[in-house]
Amino acid sequence: LTRAIMADDKNADAKALLGMAYSQKGLHPQAKRALQTAVEMVPENADFRCNHGVVLERAGEFPAAAAAYQAALHINPHHE
């Protein structure tokens, strides 16, 4: 994923996936940064916002996670 991002810094999908991979490894600062970047690049993507919420929740940032989940639902009220 890092190679994909180095090849194309505008690849929001790769940044979002990298954020989730970092989160699964417990690298919360890197995960938050990668997902935040993906959200900023494509703010209307409910999946990115939801995944950002997951990363924030895993990092123990519950109010920020709730806001991210709410943003995802604002974009897509039927989002899982």
Side-chain angles (χ1 to χ4, degrees):
L1 290 168
T2 54
R3 288 183 189 159
I5 293 169
M6 287 185 342
D8 180 8
D9 191 44
K10 297 187 188 316
N11 188 337
D13 289 321
K15 289 185 188 240
L17 289 172
L18 182 61
M20 293 307 293
Y22 279 145
S23 180
Q24 290 174 352
K25 294 183 123 239
L27 302 171
H28 302 301
Q30 296 92 326
K32 291 186 299 183
R33 188 169 42 252
L35 260 301
Q36 180 62 43
T37 300
V39 166
E40 289 169 359
M41 292 173 76
V42 190
E44 69 280 1
N45 187 311
D47 290 332
F48 291 176
R49 290 187 179 270
C50 182
N51 287 338
H52 191 220
V54 170
V55 165
L56 291 165
E57 185 176 349
R58 287 180 181 165
E61 298 181 26
F62 302 114
Y69 292 140
Q70 288 177 334
L73 290 173
H74 181 74
I75 295 166
N76 178 0
H78 303 291
H79 195 276
E80 56 190 43

